[in-house]
Amino acid sequence: MSKRFARIIVASQLYARRHGGQYPASLDMLVPEFIDAVPEDPFDSKHEIKYDCADKMIWSVGEDCEYETPPSGRSRRCMRGFQRWARKIDGKPLM
């Protein structure tokens, strides 16, 4: 897991603790109290890491530069030989 994902997960969990278990509606709500800025996608510097509040999930475009909104299935999916990463911010499994 990248440091970018880890920072968002920790920041989101801290946010939830301070807000009665409620996770942020967007990653922008973590700035500046918990993180300096929403990290850019490591594979696509034109976009930030994606976030779905309802599923409490963050993900990266991946090396194939295609987004699936939000990604489904396993935490690591293979698509055309590349890996797309997704993580639950609440520590629960994706499935």
Side-chain angles (χ1 to χ4, degrees), residues 4-93:
R4 295 171 201 198
F5 276 57
R7 284 196 332 253
I8 291 173
I9 290 168
V10 170
S12 297
Q13 290 174 346
L14 290 171
Y15 179 97
R17 284 184 184 178
R18 288 195 185 167
H19 293 90
Q22 192 74 22
Y23 283 85
S26 73
L27 295 180
D28 292 324
M29 295 178 78
L30 301 173
V31 179
E33 186 175 358
F34 300 99
I35 55 177
D36 294 331
V38 177
E40 66 183 32
D41 189 306
F43 298 106
D44 181 1
S45 61
K46 297 175 192 157
H47 295 94
E48 297 172 339
I49 289 176
K50 301 298 180 196
Y51 171 67
D52 183 291
C53 176
D55 288 332
K56 298 178 188 76
M57 183 184 300
I58 56 173
W59 69 96
S60 166
V61 67
E63 292 181 36
D64 61 5
C65 292
E66 291 183 17
Y67 286 97
E68 180 182 348
T69 309
S72 58
R74 299 171 293 172
S75 63
R76 186 166 75 182
R77 285 186 66 185
C78 254
M79 182 135 190
R80 284 192 257 144
F82 297 109
Q83 296 173 343
R84 174 182 289 131
W85 294 92
R87 293 283 185 264
K88 295 286 273 187
I89 61 172
D90 60 3
K92 296 179 181 167

